[in-house]
Amino acid sequence: MIEDLLHQSGLHPRPLDTAGPVLAVAGQWYDLWVPEEEEEQATEVLTSKGYQQALVRQ
C-alpha cells in the first residue's frame, strides 16, 4: 500500500531488509528506501496522507 502510494506519486521506493526510511502502520513495518533526491517529496506525500508520525529516518 505505502510502496504503491509512492509509485503513484512518481517516486521510486525500494524495499530493504535492514536500512532506509522505516514506516510503521497498523502494527506492520515497511522498510523502504527512496533515492536521496526524492526524500523530501516522499515525506510530503506520506505526510499529506496522514503517515507523518510513522516516518523514521535511519
Side-chain angles (χ1 to χ4, degrees):
M1 177 177 120
I2 300 302
E3 189 173 359
D4 288 338
L5 176 64
L6 293 172
H7 279 292
Q8 290 170 11
S9 297
L11 302 172
H12 304 92
R14 278 194 338 213
L16 293 179
D17 292 332
T18 59
V22 176
L23 181 62
V25 178
Q28 297 180 349
W29 288 90
Y30 298 91
D31 192 5
L32 297 175
W33 172 88
V34 293
E36 186 176 339
E37 60 272 9
E38 296 180 358
E39 182 179 349
E40 186 175 327
Q41 186 179 357
T43 299
E44 289 173 7
V45 168
L46 296 174
T47 298
S48 73
K49 298 297 182 182
Y51 296 113
Q52 67 277 4
Q53 292 187 5
L55 292 171
V56 177
R57 183 175 181 184
Q58 294 184 340

